[in-house]
Amino acid sequence: MKLSSALRGALSSLILVAAAVLATTAAPARAQSAYEAALPAELSTSPALCAYVPCAEVLPGATSFSERKGQPPYVEAYAEENGQRKLVGYVMLSTDITDTPAYSGKPVVTLIGMDTAGRFVGVKILKHSEPILLLGIPESALIGFNKQYLGKFVGDNIEIGRSRPDEDIIGLDAISGATVTVIAQNQVMMTSGAAVARQVGILEPTIRPQARFADGGRTLDWATLVAEGAVRNLKVMPEQVGLQRGATPFIDLWFGYLNHPEIGRSVLGEAGWRSLMARLREGEHALFVIRTGGNESFKGSGFVRGGIYDRVQIRQGQDAFTFRDLDYLNLYGVSAAGAPAFNESAIFIVRSPAFSGAFPWKFIFLGNRVDRETGARTFANFDTEYWLADRHLEGGRPEVIKPDAPWVKVWKSRALEIGLFAALLVAVTIVYARRDVLTRRSTRKNKWPVNAFKYAFWVISIGFVGFGLLAQPSITQVLTWFHSLLFKWEWELFLTDPFIFLFWIFIILTTFVWGRGLFCGWMCPFGSLSELIYKVAGAIGLKRFQFALPMKWHNRLKWIKYFVFFALLAVSVFSMGLAEMLAEVEPFKTTFLVGVFNRAWPYTLFVAVLLGLSIFMERPFCKYLCPLGASLAMPSTFRWFGLKRKQECNSCKACAVGCGSLAIDEHGRIDHRECMHCLDCMILYTDEHACPPLAQERKRRTKAGLPLTPIGSDGYYIPIKPVPAAKA
């Protein structure tokens, strides 16, 4: 009766606190948030950008704004000075320039202001889909992060992390718990600013040495052109633009560089190539494009939007090159033998000394992508790299040092911590793989050969992994991966947080090998904190107040976490934002990512109730509420290895009495979906004084004067087999 009352009181407290969290924080946060904010449909297409967004907020002092101009687009900002308009800066919409995804897999739509000297003067987030910024970390943190750009020059080397003056790198402070988001935002800011700064002359275009072609006099067929990389393919499938998956491509393009004699002659024929070269001025370059599949035009609406071909461009390094109507020539046919049939074609001219055929460049197709979750339409970039082969260039390809991808920079900058964390995961795996050695050295009265390792891993998990690296896995990652598999998978998205990435490799492998218990019972930072509190409380004299629920209650309540998991999964299909709000049933953000003293009181109270209940009950959250545990429990059914059992375990209750996870049923079977791998039952399994079958056999042999043989892998004494006496 007392247990039932205590249980009802504890659960009532948890429900009330969770309700208070949602009631007091969710609605205000939603009302004032840019999370999934509704943006005008005309935002990405209307020439009058500033009619739909507050351009004056990001360019202080500006009183009027031009229409979109340039490619990628930007807006000129003007101020009134002595009755005349004066150019004071430029405004750009990030998604006009780059669709770099943040942690949600979607871009953070940002309005950026830059003055005529190339310094950032304003930043405003118009829309984001970052779940961590919905409740876990306030949006004000991202606003504060963006303020670090104000006054900085667009041409500076700006990175997330500490400044390194010796390398001419300016560092920005990150947001704890939102590393992926801020790395993506830095890429958005710098890419957008540099693209506009180069167009308006703030940044000088890079001057690259021009190519010296190696001409062997060959005329190549189509297959050879493709094999040598002289002609490349860019194919976009329907699912990449949010349409129904299908075998027919959305668009299938082939392209190549025509200035090279062998390629030009092969594609255009001798006369055609010479005619084209005669039309080009020094420093100009020609490339051809043909469409062999799909119905989407790569020419776009160029003839009605100022003569700009807004569906294709090329990029070399940080320089982007677009095409106007005067940069277009008709391509009537391809001379190379075996060339595919095509239904759209063009020759485009690059008229810039910044471009060189000797260096790698990317051909980019800009297409409309439909977000299958929200139905919103956005521009998306699809690209393929092109670089002439060594044999096509005198002296071969020049040496090119490509900048590291953002996720590579993160791995390099935190190499020591990553190495230590990886070593920790390997160590706990090796220790658990050799658990039989430890359990045989332990007894019911001396469990330290096992517990010394287990307790040490708890402390390391709490301090180093949880509070130090902020590497607490969460159900939100499971939901994010689920959506990525459905809509768009990007490895870079997950590689940007190396600790969570490595942790999930460890979790997936060990769950299918041994079940969820190794992570949940040994390495989960919050689970370790909860159980350590329980153990410490028992050691300091509170053991008489500690209790476990009766099995009939446990068997009912353990299903709550599965309900929570499936409810979150179902809600996420309709609204990832709402699912993230409801995922606050996990106390992980408050405990490790944000901090109990940095959040509203309902969150802090919720964590306090859970940890306070842990003083009296072993792992209450893990057993009954944790949706992450539920998501790992189901694949644990298909583990490769389980804990050992004897035939007598079906009727013996010795192990069940001491099972803190309540994972051993009345028939002696271990439910590995609930087991936390404390290994207490495995210690008893080979303890000849505590395991009833072994104790009985020990007493029988001792009474009969028989030797005590070693205990075999089956948990029994090795049988004594009589050996016939040797004949004299």
Side-chain angles (χ1 to χ4, degrees):
M1 189 68 179
K2 290 182 179 179
L3 287 177
S4 299
S5 299
L7 172 64
R8 285 196 297 270
L11 290 179
S12 297
S13 298
L14 290 176
I15 293 171
L16 288 173
V17 170
V21 168
L22 293 178
T24 60
T25 62
R30 188 78 177 206
Q32 301 172 5
S33 174
Y35 182 83
E36 293 294 2
L39 298 179
E42 301 86 353
L43 184 62
S44 61
T45 57
S46 173
L49 170 67
C50 295
Y52 300 96
V53 292
C55 292
E57 290 187 21
V58 298
L59 223 156
T63 56
S64 62
F65 301 90
S66 72
E67 292 188 341
R68 279 184 168 107
K69 55 175 56 182
Q71 190 68 11
Y74 63 92
V75 168
E76 291 180 341
Y78 296 92
E80 293 293 331
E81 188 174 298
N82 299 324
Q84 294 183 340
R85 288 201 318 164
K86 178 184 178 182
L87 179 66
V88 292
Y90 310 92
V91 176
M92 63 211 80
L93 183 67
S94 64
T95 47
D96 280 347
I97 301 168
T98 176
D99 59 351
T100 302
Y103 185 75
S104 62
K106 301 176 184 178
V108 175
V109 184
T110 309
L111 193 66
I112 305 168
M114 179 177 68
D115 66 17
T116 54
R119 299 194 176 276
F120 294 111
V121 293
V123 186
K124 183 177 179 63
I125 302 299
L126 301 178
K127 178 181 178 180
H128 72 84
S129 303
E130 300 303 276
I132 191 69
L133 298 176
L134 179 62
L135 284 174
I137 295 173
E139 241 176 48
S140 59
L142 182 57
I143 294 172
F145 170 80
N146 284 333
K147 287 181 178 178
Q148 297 179 88
Y149 290 97
L150 302 185
K152 290 184 171 59
F153 180 57
V154 68
D156 289 336
N157 295 318
I158 300 176
E159 294 184 1
I160 305 301
R162 61 183 179 85
S163 295
R164 302 194 296 279
D166 54 322
E167 299 177 41
D168 198 26
I169 291 175
I170 298 173
L172 298 182
D173 294 331
I175 302 174
S176 294
T179 305
V180 179
T181 302
V182 297
I183 288 175
Q185 184 66 3
N186 184 60
Q187 194 170 354
V188 164
M189 292 291 298
M190 302 313 296
T191 300
S192 301
V196 173
R198 282 188 169 84
Q199 284 192 71
V200 300
I202 294 173
L203 293 180
E204 292 292 332
T206 303
I207 305 301
R208 300 175 177 89
Q210 293 301 307
R212 292 180 297 155
F213 302 122
D215 183 7
R218 300 181 302 163
T219 299
L220 310 174
D221 60 21
W222 186 263
T224 304
L225 288 169
V226 173
E228 293 186 0
V231 172
R232 299 298 309 276
N233 178 234
L234 192 160
K235 183 184 294 184
V236 180
M237 301 304 292
E239 60 270 21
Q240 292 178 273
V241 291
L243 302 179
Q244 190 68 33
R245 184 182 297 271
T248 303
F250 176 75
I251 192 168
D252 193 359
L253 303 175
W254 293 88
F255 64 95
Y257 180 63
L258 293 173
N259 284 48
H260 192 284
E262 290 186 346
I263 302 171
R265 281 196 302 263
S266 301
V267 174
L268 302 179
E270 180 73 32
W273 177 71
R274 291 194 179 280
S275 174
L276 173 64
M277 292 298 104
R279 299 180 64 171
L280 297 184
R281 297 175 181 175
E282 185 177 354
E284 294 183 343
H285 309 265
L287 63 142
F288 80 95
V289 185
I290 61 174
R291 183 184 68 192
T292 59
N295 296 315
E296 181 78 4
S297 171
F298 66 78
K299 296 180 183 178
S301 55
F303 293 106
V304 296
R305 290 192 62 196
I308 299 277
Y309 288 93
D310 58 358
R311 287 293 183 269
V312 292
Q313 62 179 236
I314 63 174
R315 182 178 295 276
Q316 193 167 52
Q318 293 295 319
D319 297 309
F321 307 95
T322 55
F323 307 106
R324 304 183 66 86
D325 50 358
L326 297 177
D327 302 325
Y328 166 84
L329 298 174
N330 288 319
L331 174 64
Y332 298 105
V334 175
S335 298
F342 55 88
N343 49 20
E344 190 176 37
S345 61
I347 294 175
F348 290 115
I349 311 299
V350 181
R351 307 183 193 276
S352 172
F355 183 84
S356 170
F359 293 82
W361 50 274
K362 290 182 178 180
F363 179 80
I364 300 171
F365 171 74
L366 295 93
N368 279 310
R369 180 165 58 202
V370 179
D371 189 325
R372 292 170 61 187
E373 293 181 82
T374 64
R377 299 177 72 88
T378 58
F379 275 103
N381 295 344
F382 305 93
D383 60 65
T384 296
E385 185 175 82
Y386 187 99
W387 196 0
L388 290 174
D390 281 332
R391 66 178 302 161
H392 291 146
L393 297 167
E394 289 186 6
R397 288 174 169 177
E399 183 180 357
V400 174
I401 300 176
K402 297 183 179 180
D404 291 330
W407 70 267
V408 175
K409 293 180 181 178
V410 174
W411 285 69
K412 287 183 176 180
S413 65
R414 307 196 70 178
L416 177 60
E417 295 162 289
I418 292 171
L420 292 174
F421 182 62
L424 172 64
L425 298 180
V426 171
V428 72
T429 303
I430 293 173
V431 167
Y432 188 80
R434 296 181 56 80
R435 62 193 178 281
D436 285 351
V437 175
L438 300 177
T439 56
R440 284 176 177 271
R441 293 178 181 175
S442 305
T443 65
R444 181 181 59 179
K445 296 182 178 180
N446 179 25
K447 299 177 182 179
W448 277 105
V450 169
N451 288 349
F453 283 101
K454 187 168 59 178
Y455 293 174
F457 287 130
W458 286 353
V459 173
I460 295 172
S461 177
I462 297 166
F464 175 62
V465 179
F467 289 110
L469 302 180
L470 308 179
Q472 168 68 67
S474 167
I475 190 62
T476 57
Q477 290 142 15
V478 177
L479 299 179
T480 299
W481 292 351
F482 173 72
H483 279 247
S484 295
L485 289 171
L486 285 180
F487 303 116
K488 184 182 180 184
W489 180 270
E490 293 187 6
W491 278 107
E492 293 81 359
L493 183 64
F494 307 109
L495 287 167
T496 309
D497 194 331
F499 306 107
I500 292 295
F501 181 79
L502 292 176
F503 219 157
W504 272 104
I505 292 176
F506 167 84
I507 291 169
I508 292 169
L509 292 177
T510 58
T511 296
F512 280 102
V513 174
W514 295 302
R516 76 173 178 118
L518 183 54
F519 165 70
C520 292
W522 289 53
M523 286 301 295
C524 174
F526 188 84
S528 299
L529 178 61
S530 178
E531 184 147 3
L532 189 61
I533 288 173
Y534 179 81
K535 296 294 186 185
V536 171
I540 63 175
L542 298 178
K543 194 171 186 66
R544 64 184 182 275
F545 301 110
Q546 295 178 331
F547 64 92
L549 296 181
M551 282 299 293
K552 68 175 184 177
W553 279 104
H554 171 77
N555 287 334
R556 294 170 184 171
L557 296 176
K558 70 182 182 182
W559 298 106
I560 295 177
K561 61 180 177 287
Y562 297 96
F563 171 78
V564 173
F565 167 68
F566 282 111
L568 290 173
L569 189 62
V571 170
S572 73
V573 173
F574 302 99
S575 172
M576 190 65 180
L578 180 58
E580 177 67 17
M581 291 168 59
L582 296 175
E584 285 293 332
V585 70
E586 289 183 329
F588 306 153
K589 290 180 193 171
T590 303
T591 306
F592 298 109
L593 300 184
V594 183
V596 293
F597 300 113
N598 296 326
R599 302 201 72 183
W601 68 265
Y603 298 98
T604 302
L605 179 59
F606 184 52
V607 172
V609 169
L610 287 175
L611 296 180
L613 194 56
S614 299
I615 296 173
F616 308 103
M617 182 189 299
E618 189 170 348
R619 291 180 179 259
F621 175 76
C622 305
K623 291 177 184 174
Y624 306 120
L625 284 179
C626 183
L628 177 62
S631 70
L632 299 178
M634 290 177 284
S636 296
T637 305
F638 309 104
R639 72 203 175 278
W640 292 337
F641 302 104
L643 299 177
K644 298 177 181 178
R645 308 302 284 155
K646 295 186 177 77
Q647 183 177 354
E648 291 84 353
C649 292
N650 295 337
S651 56
C652 176
K653 300 293 189 292
C655 291
V657 171
C659 180
S661 301
L662 302 180
I664 303 177
D665 64 16
E666 65 273 13
H667 302 294
R669 295 172 299 197
I670 298 177
D671 184 354
H672 283 82
R673 292 168 300 187
E674 302 298 318
C675 177
M676 299 294 176
H677 291 193
C678 67
L679 299 183
D680 283 2
C681 61
M682 291 296 94
I683 292 173
L684 266 65
Y685 188 79
T686 55
D687 189 340
E688 58 189 359
H689 294 278
C691 178
L694 282 180
Q696 292 174 8
E697 176 68 8
R698 177 182 58 79
K699 291 176 182 178
R700 188 187 67 78
R701 289 194 182 191
T702 301
K703 186 175 181 180
L706 298 175
L708 297 177
T709 56
I711 298 171
S713 60
D714 59 359
Y716 296 100
Y717 285 108
I718 295 175
I720 300 174
K721 295 181 179 180
V723 178
K727 294 182 180 180

